[in-house]
Amino acid sequence: MTRRNRKVFYSSEDWNLMQNALVKASEHLHRGPDHEYANRLARRVMTLFDQGLRDEEIIALNAAHQERLIARIGALRHGVA
């Protein structure tokens, strides 16, 4: 069941962990909080958390890695290799 199809309640500790992971992922990507894909990155962090990851550094590294892959796919689709 996807996150959209179920109610999820996060504790304040959960939100803090996800926020810290998001900040770290943004730093890994050299992006600010107002980057055009900031929301996509935040959703990626939440998805990784929902999949059971609880280490903010691991979440950040995985989210940044996945975001880089998405960016590469987009660039290939638009002919910018």
Side-chain angles (χ1 to χ4, degrees):
M1 192 180 299
T2 65
R3 183 171 11 101
R4 292 180 194 161
N5 295 334
R6 62 185 159 102
K7 277 192 168 176
V8 177
F9 296 96
Y10 299 112
S11 70
S12 58
E13 291 83 13
D14 294 341
W15 282 115
N16 287 336
L17 187 148
M18 287 187 281
Q19 179 64 35
N20 290 338
L22 178 59
V23 168
K24 288 181 179 187
S26 295
E27 288 171 357
H28 288 300
L29 295 166
H30 307 290
R31 294 181 180 174
D34 59 343
H35 188 274
E36 67 178 310
Y37 297 125
N39 288 333
R40 182 173 72 191
L41 184 60
R43 288 190 307 273
R44 175 62 32 210
V45 166
M46 291 178 75
T47 298
L48 291 165
F49 183 89
D50 289 346
Q51 291 173 345
L53 294 178
R54 294 297 182 269
D55 182 295
E56 65 187 52
E57 187 62 33
I58 290 173
I59 293 172
L61 289 170
N62 277 284
H65 175 71
Q66 291 175 16
E67 183 65 20
R68 285 185 194 102
L69 291 174
I70 291 167
R72 282 189 208 147
I73 291 168
L76 288 172
R77 286 185 177 166
H78 292 93
V80 183

